[in-house]
């Protein structure tokens, strides 16, 4: 059974990934558009080609992305590509990262304290003169 691409849902996905609100997209599409109309548009299975081109220009995403993107296929590709999840987990240790960040923070504080002491010494010399 062939699954249809839901173009409206794809518009919504890409719009949200870009952090663009429905109101902003409506504004870009023209004065006869509003948030409610964009909401209805995002529920459509198929969107007219000329409107899809306008949305494509507004979001700066190729028309083909709206026409061909299938989330289930993308998830299958990702799942098959990274089937050995232990490989990913072993390369990233959050505790080591926290320790590294903590050490960097301590080094930064030590540099700041040293610079403060040097500045105080210079100021004391200026005051004494």
């Amino acid at each position: 059974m062939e699954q249809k691409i839901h173009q409206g849902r794809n518009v919504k996905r890409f719009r949200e990934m870009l952090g663009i609100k429905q109101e902003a997209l409506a504004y870009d599409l023209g004065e006869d558009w509003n948030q409610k109309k964009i909401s209805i548009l995002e529920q459509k299975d198929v969107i007219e080609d000329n409107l899809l081109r306008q949305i494509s220009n507004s979001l700066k995403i190729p028309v083909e992305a709206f026409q061909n993107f299938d989330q289930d296929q993308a998830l299958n590709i990702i799942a098959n590509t990274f089937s050995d999840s232990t490989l990913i987990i072993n390369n990233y240790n959050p505790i080591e990262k926290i320790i590294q960040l903590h050490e960097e923070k301590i080094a930064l504080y030590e540099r700041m304290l040293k610079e403060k002491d040097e500045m105080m010494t210079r100021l004391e010399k200026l005051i004494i003169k």
Side-chain angles (χ1 to χ4, degrees), residues 18-114:
L18 294 169
I20 297 172
K21 299 227 178 260
Q22 288 178 332
E23 295 88 358
L25 180 57
Y27 179 81
D28 280 351
L29 293 179
E31 59 187 46
D32 57 328
W33 283 89
N34 57 37
Q35 180 272 325
K36 179 137 178 92
K37 214 169 165 183
I38 296 295
S39 180
I40 293 168
L41 172 83
E42 290 176 347
Q43 296 173 22
K44 290 177 130 186
D45 285 336
V46 178
I47 300 172
E48 301 80 31
D49 286 341
N50 62 342
L51 180 54
L52 212 49
R53 277 192 295 280
Q54 282 181 279
I55 295 168
S56 170
N57 289 336
S58 177
L59 298 180
K60 294 176 181 45
I61 291 179
V63 174
E64 294 79 17
F66 302 116
Q67 294 171 330
N68 300 326
F69 181 76
D70 181 9
Q71 182 177 1
D72 293 333
Q73 286 179 347
L75 290 175
N76 282 337
I77 292 169
I78 291 168
N80 290 334
T81 304
F82 297 108
S83 61
D84 186 7
S85 60
T86 57
L87 177 69
I88 296 170
I89 292 170
N90 288 335
N91 286 339
Y92 179 73
N93 186 343
I95 294 174
E96 286 180 13
K97 185 67 174 171
I98 291 171
I99 292 170
Q100 176 192 355
L101 291 171
H102 182 69
E103 289 170 352
E104 290 173 5
K105 186 169 123 182
I106 290 172
L108 175 63
Y109 282 141
E110 288 174 350
R111 283 196 316 270
M112 289 172 64
L113 284 172
K114 182 179 175 186

